[in-house]
Amino acid sequence: MTGRPAGRPLVPAYLSTGGVARPSRPQLERLSVLTRGDAPVPAGLPAAALALLDVLEGGALALVEAAALLRLPVSAVRVLAADLADRDLVLARAPIPPADRFEPDLLKRVADGLRALKH
Amino acid sequence: MASAPSSTSASPADGIHLPDTARDLVKILVAGPFGVGKTTLIDSVSEIRPLHTEEHLSEASASVDDLAGVRDKTTTTVAIDFGRVSLAGGVVLYLFGTPGQERFRSLWDDIAYGALGALVLVDSRRIDASFDVLGLVEESGLPYAVAFNAFPDAPRHYGEAQLRRALDLEPGTPMVTCDARDTNSSVDALLALVDHLIATQEAVSR
Ligand SMILES: Nc1nc2c(ncn2[C@@H]2O[C@H](COP(=O)(O)OP(=O)(O)OP(=O)(O)O)[C@@H](O)[C@H]2O)c(=O)[nH]1
Ligand SMILES: [Mg+2]
């Protein structure tokens, strides 16, 4: 458990079995899916937070898409989205739902989907 | 980068949000040196006009300052472009154009996290420009395929064996030729990678 250099943990947070300090939510990735949550917008949110909520009004976006549209660094949107998710203003889910993870057919669906693009 | 789209509206155009059917978001890196055709390939496959993010080469320390609108003047930024294509079966494929220089390593690791694999573009007029990126891909352990982007004045006299030797490829690594401007050709290059991933998966689970 020691000696791993700085960087990503070997096991993504959502696969770890939990322990002393389970994070409130999985680590957000570039492809985490963000949607607008149900909570009403409180007064006094910073402009960047309001802009993120605004861009999610029209539907779901991958985190990296929100960053591109808002012209903010991915790292900044990670922080913003995690904070808003803690307040139920944003819902964040993993890029691949747990039920589909390690599903052997996923790659075949990618291949079939790509073949269908050809004309 | 000069070739990245220069303006994206903060109020998204129609079609920018994910379709309701989106279920599995997967990514493939389109990697290669400057000017090899990464953006062109992504553009020819993507359903959205490719977007880009501005990335700091030392991201972790920059995030808080950026939120406050304060930037360290010496921080280098690089534009990382990406495209998206919704496939049948609820899969949404993202293609990330990833520069292969050694100094992008920390950014590379972050972008590569969770990727299915990488399509490494090589310009046969300057093969050695792809050595760095091949090194990064191999170190990160990402499975990959190599696509020679066919520029009109590319030398035709190299044989496949010669190219493989020059790049020091494993016998099992797929190697194809593509025209990044052509959708079918770009899709075929991506398929060479994905079919390779499937074959590898089957070999492991057998
Ligand atoms: N003939 C030919 N030209 C190509 C092909 N792919 C790209 N080009 C051209 O090569 C130039 C560079 O392509 P880009 O797609 O911008 O390359 P890039 O890898 O994104 O470059 P950077 O983002 O600067 O690293 C453009 O002028 C393209 O039109 C190809 O398959 N055939
Ligand atoms: Mg480019």
Side-chain angles (χ1 to χ4, degrees), chain A residues 40-55:
Chain A
V41 181
L45 279 186
L50 289 172
L52 178 57
L53 294 177
D54 196 43
V55 86

Side-chain angles (χ1 to χ4, degrees), chain B residues 123-125 149-156 178-179 181:
Chain B
D123 180 344
S124 52
R125 298 169 301 181
N149 204 6
F151 289 91
D153 53 341
R156 311 249 164 223
C178 84
D179 183 333
R181 299 163 301 176

